[in-house]
Amino acid sequence: MAFLDQHPGIGYPAAAGLGLLIGSFLNVVILRLPRRMEWQWKRDAREILGEPDIYEPPPPGVVVEPSHCPHCKHKLSWYENIPLFSWLLQRGRCRHCQAPISIQYPLVELLTAVLVLASVWQFGFGWQGFGAIVLTCFLIALSGIDLRTQLLPDQLTLPLMWLGLIGSMDNLYMPTKPALIGAAVGYLSLWTVWWLFKQITGKEGMGHGDFKLLAALGAWCGLKGILPIILLSSLVGAIVGSVWLYARGRDRATPIPFGPYLAIAGWLVFMWGDPMIAAYRQWAGLA
Ligand SMILES: [Zn+2]
């Protein structure tokens, strides 16, 4: 690790390559994890309702099964599976059936590579940088899944929170106390908003996954990060949401997932929270 710190000419390209590889794995998680969850829910529901157990073949697992073209089922060989470059070389089409390949693949790969680079640039090639990469990957997977399915799986939000808390035991970014209180306050703050909204309007304006995601971000950013994350995510959400509604012309009841905004705000506060808060205080004349 010290070697990579002293030789950024090797460290940064290695980080970018690693980011592309992780991004290609995150694509698989984003596509396959929700299908796997839905399959399990259906099976559990049949059991609870006492319905006969119909055999449904399980959807492909996240880790083991190889990638294939969703259109012609052709299994991808290694040179068709190189992150970013295969998509560019094949001009976004399957080599066999010419079916278009979603731009989600290269976008997630590129985004992951850029954010992994930012993580090591900010925190270096040590445990702090490694932790930042882990957080970044979870947030990309959660955002992608929320955008596609309006779900924030417990399988991702809860481990992310535990990892943040475990890291704080060794004082990775902060001591345990602010991390633990951050997680609790993160959960309770959005839960309170949800509860009040429900009492007043009788509707549920937010999913429970959002509370758990903010709890996880509290474990990584600490108590002092919670308010900036809420403000920043609401701001980004309001801007993107209005543009989206204006462009799509949908009615206002269309659910727009809040998870990606929380993830973006949480990531920014984790990376540059202190300078951001200092700049805000100066701007507001509080310094
Ligand atoms: Zn194909």
Side-chain angles (χ1 to χ4, degrees), residues 69 71-74 94 96-99:
C69 165
H71 190 244
C72 69
K73 309 292 175 205
H74 155 74
C94 169
H96 287 253
C97 68
Q98 301 299 314

